[in-house]
Amino acid sequence: MIASSAVPPAALDLLISQGFDATSVDELAAAAGISRSTFFRRFGSKENMVFADQEMIITHVQTTLAASSVDAISTLIDAAHVVFDQYTVNPEGAQLRHKLLSSVPSLRERELVSTHRYERAFYDFLARRNLANTASEKSLCLGVSAGLVAIHNDHLRTWIKDPNSTDRSKLAHDVRLFLERFADLLGADGTGTEATSPAPTVVVSVLDSGADEQAILQAVSAALKDRGK
């Protein structure tokens, strides 16, 4: 998922205007208002600077999922809000970071890796809820996790184009609509639901002692017809 960067917008703007490879660490440190040594101590590299918030946000998502005591659908919506809120809190930085990622292939590849990490966090949550016990359930849970991330990122991209076009309530609506398609897997209480067999039909007939088999079948048949009326 895409998330806003804690890096000052000036540093991101510099990477965009000069080019990622052409911009030196010294220039980025100056744009961020820190020394070269502080830059390396805080970020380690230019690439790490661009993704400075990723570890924090992923940890926040994992904590949200682990601490929840509500149903699975509500929990997944809460976790989706975590990233959306982190992204939209800094519109300028979000716009610049998206533009930078769109122009640098290596950064897009790392963004894809982070997307898989979010999918894994959602899948692990579903597995802890005992919703991925069979091979079929595991496949469904993987699909649910990937779908959740796809819907989330679609809202984020929509927001980047027009901040007034979507918000966290619209995101919640679409995520819930999607997840409710898997209600038989997720269950309202987050524990899943099991298919139950219909209750057996009980028929009582009163027959004379010594009734033969044909008489019994006729009596049962008549009772079933009466039951169906």
Side-chain angles (χ1 to χ4, degrees):
M1 290 183 178
I2 309 168
S4 63
S5 174
V7 179
L12 294 174
D13 193 38
L14 188 62
L15 289 172
I16 294 170
S17 61
Q18 291 191 175
F20 183 80
D21 293 329
T23 304
S24 69
V25 168
D26 287 336
E27 290 173 317
L28 288 175
I34 58 178
S35 67
R36 176 186 174 87
S37 59
T38 299
F39 179 93
F40 280 110
R41 188 164 56 250
R42 181 176 300 176
F43 303 118
S45 68
K46 291 192 293 184
E47 188 175 90
N48 286 345
M49 182 196 71
V50 177
F51 294 93
D53 281 349
Q54 288 295 334
E55 291 302 324
M56 179 271 292
I57 297 175
I58 289 175
T59 298
H60 193 173
V61 168
Q62 292 170 333
T63 300
T64 299
L65 295 171
S68 176
S69 59
V70 298
D71 62 274
I73 291 177
S74 297
T75 301
L76 292 172
I77 291 174
D78 289 342
H81 279 156
V82 167
V83 184
F84 190 81
D85 291 344
Q86 289 289 333
Y87 188 76
T88 57
V89 73
N90 180 12
E92 182 183 9
Q95 292 280 352
L96 289 170
R97 186 172 181 278
H98 178 70
K99 187 175 181 178
L100 177 63
L101 293 180
S102 298
S103 63
V104 183
S106 63
L107 296 181
R108 290 201 303 272
E109 291 175 3
R110 177 158 173 174
E111 183 72 11
L112 182 61
V113 172
S114 70
T115 295
H116 291 319
R117 294 182 65 189
Y118 284 106
E119 291 177 5
R120 187 68 198 186
F122 293 133
Y123 175 82
D124 288 345
F125 161 74
L126 295 173
R128 289 196 302 273
R129 289 287 181 101
N130 294 318
L131 303 176
N133 296 319
T134 68
S136 295
E137 289 174 346
K138 289 178 181 178
S139 296
L140 284 173
C141 286
L142 287 171
V144 168
S145 301
L148 176 60
V149 172
I151 292 171
H152 190 293
N153 279 348
D154 182 61
H155 274 269
L156 291 178
R157 294 186 186 99
T158 299
W159 176 85
I160 285 175
K161 294 177 182 178
D162 178 9
N164 296 318
S165 61
T166 189
D167 55 29
R168 68 198 320 268
S169 64
K170 292 180 181 178
L171 170 64
H173 172 270
D174 287 354
V175 170
R176 182 175 293 279
L177 188 65
F178 168 70
L179 293 177
E180 285 178 348
R181 303 293 180 91
F182 302 91
D184 56 336
L185 171 69
L186 301 175
D189 60 355
T191 59
T193 57
E194 296 181 359
T196 58
S197 300
T201 299
V202 178
V203 175
V204 178
S205 297
V206 179
L207 301 171
D208 294 333
S209 60
D212 59 19
E213 180 179 345
Q214 185 61 33
I216 294 174
L217 290 175
Q218 289 176 347
V220 172
S221 178
L224 288 172
K225 288 181 180 178
D226 290 339
R227 181 184 178 89
K229 291 180 180 180

